[in-house]
C-alpha cells in the first residue's frame, strides 16, 4: 500500500529533515496463443500442482530456478491465507530458467487455509518458514532475511505473477548499476497496463490536501493533482524514484542489513515507503527497472474495509515518525477530512460505503501502528 515536483515539493518535509529523524531512530508464440506477454496459461488448483509435483515423469525443479548451494538472490514471499494465489505465484516464479542461482523462501504468517502444507507438498525445493502468529509483512520479511546469505533480497507479493525472466532482469541491472542499491519492477493489470502501485511519491501536505479536497479524484492523471502516484512518469523507461513498493523489489542485502530492515512497527502498508526513505538517507537511489514485470491482483490478502483502515494506519505511522510535529498535526487533520468526505459521499451513494466504517474506525488509524517489542533480527545477516 514516494520527491515532489509540480509545486508539492514546497510542502514536503525535506530529505535532510527525514535524514535527521531516521538517523536518530536508527542509531546513526504459437498461432493458437494470444500474442504478447500478457498471455497466461489456465490456472491450476493447489491439488493439481501437488499431483504434478509428485509425478515421477515431471522434470525436477532443481536446476529450473531453484539452484542448490549459496544463492545470489533470495526471493521472499510472505503468505497469509492466500493458498491458491501463492501456489500460482510460485508456479510462475519457479518455471523460469534463471542464470543466477537463487532460492525461494515463503514465510507463512500462521495461515489457517493449509498454505504451508500445500506449498511444501507442491514445491519441495521451496523453503517454508512457519510463524506461530501473523506478524505482518515487514516483520515476516525481517525474519526471513535473518536466515539468508545471498547477495540480493527480492520481495514478491503472493498475489503477483511474474512475467518473463524477472530474477535475471533484476540481477542484470543491479550488477551493472550497483550504486542504486534498491530496485523496483512494474506491477501490471491483466491487460498489461501499469496499475500505478509499484512506485510512489512521498506523502506531502500538498498531496494530502488534494486528496482531502477531492482535487486528486477530479484530475488523477495530472502531476500536480496526484503527486503520490507519479502519473507523469513513463513506466516503460528506467527512472530514479522517491519510493518503491514491496510488491516486487530487489535490494542489496548489505544495504538491507545496514538500514536494519523493515521497521517492525508497521504491520502492513507504508513500511516500503519508510524503507525507501531510510535507504535514500543511507545513499541509495531507488531505480525503476521496466524489464521486470508482474501481474498484480491488488489486495489479495485483505478485505476492503480492513485494507483501507490498514492503509490509513500505515500512512499515519509514517507521518508521526518522519514529519515534524506541526506538519504532522496538519497532515493528520487533512487525512481526517479526506475520510469524512469519502464517508459522506458513500452515505449518499456517491462512493464506497466502506468509508463509513473507516471513519468510524478513525480512533484506531489516527493512532498509527503501536510500538512492537521485537528486537531487530538482522544482526545475523552481518
Amino acid at each position: 500500500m514516494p520527491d515532489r515536483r509540480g509545486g508539492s515539493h514546497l510542502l514536503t518535509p525535506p530529505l535532510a529533515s527525514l535524514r535527521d529523524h531516521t538517523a536518530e531512530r536508527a542509531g546513526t508464440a504459437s498461432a493458437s496463443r494470444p500474442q504478447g506477454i500478457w498471455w497466461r496459461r489456465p490456472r491450476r488448483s493447489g491439488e493439481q500442482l501437488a499431483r504434478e509435483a509428485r509425478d515421477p515423469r515431471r522434470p525436477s525443479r532443481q536446476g529450473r530456478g531453484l539452484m542448490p548451494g549459496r544463492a545470489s538472490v533470495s526471493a521472499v514471499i510472505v503468505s497469509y491465507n492466500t493458498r491458491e494465489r501463492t501456489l500460482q505465484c510460485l508456479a510462475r516464479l519457479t518455471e523460469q530458467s534463471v542464470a543466477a542461482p537463487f532460492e525461494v523462501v515463503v514465510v507463512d504468517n500462521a495461515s489457517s487455509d493449509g498454505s504451508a502444507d500445500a506449498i511444501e507438498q507442491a514445491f519441495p525445493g521451496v523453503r517454508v518458514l512457519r510463524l506461530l502468529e501473523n506478524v505482518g509483512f515487514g516483520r515476516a520479511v525481517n525474519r526471513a532475511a535473518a536466515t539468508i546469505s545471498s547477495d540480493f533480497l527480492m520481495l514478491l507479493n503472493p498475489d503477483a505473477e511474474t512475467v518473463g525472466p524477472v530474477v535475471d532482469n533484476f540481477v542484470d541491472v543491479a550488477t551493472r548499476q550497483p550504486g542504486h542499491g534498491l530496485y523496483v519492477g512494474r506491477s501490471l493489470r491483466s491487460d498489461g497496463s501499469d496499475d500505478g502501485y509499484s512506485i510512489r511519491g512521498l506523502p506531502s501536505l500538498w498531496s494530502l490536501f488534494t486528496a482531502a479536497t477531492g482535487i486528486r479524484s477530479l484530475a488523477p492523471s495530472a502531476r500536480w493533482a496526484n503527486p503520490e502516484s507519479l502519473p507523469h512518469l513513463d513506466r516503460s523507461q528506467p527512472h530514479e524514484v522517491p519510493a518503491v513498493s514491496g510488491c516486487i523489489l530487489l535490494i542489496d542485502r548489505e544495504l538491507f542489513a545496514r538500514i536494519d530492515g523493515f521497521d517492525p512497527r508497521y504491520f502492513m502498508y507504508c513500511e516500503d515507503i519508510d524503507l525507501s526513505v531510510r535507504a535514500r538517507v543511507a545513499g541509495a537511489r531507488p531505480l525503476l527497472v521496466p524489464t521486470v514485470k508482474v501481474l498484480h491482483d491488488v489486495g489479495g490478502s485483505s478485505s476492503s474495509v480492513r485494507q483501507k483502515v490498514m492503509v490509513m494506519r500505515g500512512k499515519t505511522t509514517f507521518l508521526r515518525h518522519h514529519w515534524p510535529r506541526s506538519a504532522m498535526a496538519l497532515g493528520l487533520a487533512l487525512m481526517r477530512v479526506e475520510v469524512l468526505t469519502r464517508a459522506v459521499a458513500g452515505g449518499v451513494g456517491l462512493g464506497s460505503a466502506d468509508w463509513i466504517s473507516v471513519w468510524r474506525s478513525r480512533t484506531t488509524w489516527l493512532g498509527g501502528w503501536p510500538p512492537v517489542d521485537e528486537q531487530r533480527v538482522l544482526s545475523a545477516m552481518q
Side-chain angles (χ1 to χ4, degrees), residues 145-196:
T147 71
I148 70 171
S149 59
S150 57
D151 300 310
F152 297 101
L153 177 66
M154 186 181 102
L155 305 186
L156 179 65
N157 268 19
D159 55 4
E161 295 185 19
T162 56
V163 177
V166 164
V167 178
D168 280 346
N169 287 347
F170 254 151
V171 171
D172 178 61
V173 173
T175 53
R176 287 189 293 105
Q177 302 181 57
H180 291 281
L182 180 58
Y183 310 84
V184 64
R186 298 165 62 189
S187 56
L188 311 174
R189 303 181 183 92
S190 59
D191 64 359
S193 61
D194 281 272
D195 65 16

Side-chain angles (χ1 to χ4, degrees), residues 12-58:
T12 305
L15 188 59
S17 174
L18 296 178
R19 181 181 295 111
D20 293 341
H21 286 280
T22 303
E24 179 182 356
R25 180 181 63 82
T28 45
S30 72
S32 62
R33 177 183 298 183
Q35 297 301 305
I37 63 173
W38 317 123
W39 174 85
R40 42 180 174 167
R41 68 194 64 189
R43 289 182 178 271
R44 291 165 289 172
S45 68
E47 288 75 13
Q48 288 175 307
L49 290 167
R51 285 198 300 270
E52 291 174 8
R54 294 192 299 268
D55 189 342
R57 298 168 298 176
R58 180 179 176 84

Side-chain angles (χ1 to χ4, degrees), residues 299 301-308:
S301 301
S302 306
S303 65
S304 185
V305 172
R306 181 170 180 263
Q307 181 185 24
K308 287 180 173 65

Side-chain angles (χ1 to χ4, degrees), residues 25 109 131 133-144 146 260 262-267 370-378:
R25 180 181 63 82
N109 260 329
L131 303 187
E133 61 176 327
N134 182 4
V135 299
F137 178 76
R139 291 169 66 190
V141 172
N142 285 352
R143 295 188 185 190
D260 218 5
F262 283 105
D263 187 330
R265 84 183 69 194
Y266 293 85
F267 183 80
V372 174
D373 185 19
E374 176 170 295
Q375 294 238 339
R376 302 288 180 97
V377 294
L378 299 176

Side-chain angles (χ1 to χ4, degrees), residues 13-352:
L15 188 59
S17 174
L18 296 178
R19 181 181 295 111
D20 293 341
H21 286 280
T22 303
E24 179 182 356
R25 180 181 63 82
T28 45
S30 72
S32 62
R33 177 183 298 183
Q35 297 301 305
I37 63 173
W38 317 123
W39 174 85
R40 42 180 174 167
R41 68 194 64 189
R43 289 182 178 271
R44 291 165 289 172
S45 68
E47 288 75 13
Q48 288 175 307
L49 290 167
R51 285 198 300 270
E52 291 174 8
R54 294 192 299 268
D55 189 342
R57 298 168 298 176
R58 180 179 176 84
S60 171
R61 291 186 185 272
Q62 294 290 340
R64 296 183 63 225
L66 300 178
M67 305 294 291
R70 183 180 182 276
S72 64
V73 178
S74 290
V76 175
I77 299 170
V78 178
S79 176
Y80 175 67
N81 288 336
T82 52
R83 180 178 181 272
E84 293 300 322
R85 286 188 175 97
T86 304
L87 290 171
Q88 288 294 332
C89 174
L90 288 168
R92 293 299 294 266
L93 178 62
T94 58
E95 283 171 355
Q96 295 184 39
S97 294
V98 181
F102 83 115
E103 67 171 343
V104 181
V105 181
V106 174
V107 186
D108 184 72
N109 260 329
S111 296
S112 59
D113 64 350
S115 292
D117 289 338
I119 292 165
E120 288 183 336
Q121 185 177 33
F123 301 96
V126 170
R127 184 155 57 95
V128 178
L129 300 182
R130 298 172 182 247
L131 303 187
L132 299 179
E133 61 176 327
N134 182 4
V135 299
F137 178 76
R139 291 169 66 190
V141 172
N142 285 352
R143 295 188 185 190
T147 71
I148 70 171
S149 59
S150 57
D151 300 310
F152 297 101
L153 177 66
M154 186 181 102
L155 305 186
L156 179 65
N157 268 19
D159 55 4
E161 295 185 19
T162 56
V163 177
V166 164
V167 178
D168 280 346
N169 287 347
F170 254 151
V171 171
D172 178 61
V173 173
T175 53
R176 287 189 293 105
Q177 302 181 57
H180 291 281
L182 180 58
Y183 310 84
V184 64
R186 298 165 62 189
S187 56
L188 311 174
R189 303 181 183 92
S190 59
D191 64 359
S193 61
D194 281 272
D195 65 16
Y197 288 107
S198 71
I199 59 175
R200 304 296 296 173
L202 294 177
S204 66
L205 287 177
W206 174 250
S207 71
L208 296 179
F209 174 79
T210 62
T213 57
I215 293 174
R216 183 181 67 187
S217 298
L218 293 174
S221 299
R223 174 177 175 177
W224 63 272
N226 191 13
E228 288 187 36
S229 295
L230 306 176
H232 62 287
L233 284 187
D234 179 2
R235 267 72 168 176
S236 67
Q237 300 297 319
H239 298 279
E240 290 188 15
V241 295
V244 305
S245 167
C247 169
I248 175 64
L249 70 78
L250 184 82
I251 185 169
D252 182 278
R253 173 180 167 273
E254 186 276 331
L255 171 65
F256 191 77
R258 182 152 43 96
I259 63 176
D260 218 5
F262 283 105
D263 187 330
R265 84 183 69 194
Y266 293 85
F267 183 80
M268 276 191 72
Y269 297 107
C270 281
E271 72 280 282
D272 42 15
I273 298 179
D274 171 85
L275 182 84
S276 300
V277 167
R278 291 185 291 111
R280 291 175 64 198
V281 169
R285 294 176 292 124
L287 181 69
L288 171 65
V289 182
T291 56
V292 172
K293 310 180 187 74
V294 296
L295 297 171
H296 187 205
D297 178 15
V298 179
S301 301
S302 306
S303 65
S304 185
V305 172
R306 181 170 180 263
Q307 181 185 24
K308 287 180 173 65
V309 170
M310 289 194 296
V311 169
M312 302 301 290
R313 203 169 185 179
K315 182 170 283 191
T316 297
T317 303
F318 181 86
L319 267 59
R320 289 185 176 278
H321 191 52
H322 288 285
W323 284 22
R325 181 169 297 180
S326 58
M328 177 201 72
L330 183 52
L332 295 181
L334 288 170
M335 289 176 65
R336 285 197 295 269
V337 172
E338 177 194 1
V339 175
L340 177 59
T341 302
R342 288 177 175 269
V344 171
V348 297
L350 296 178
S352 172

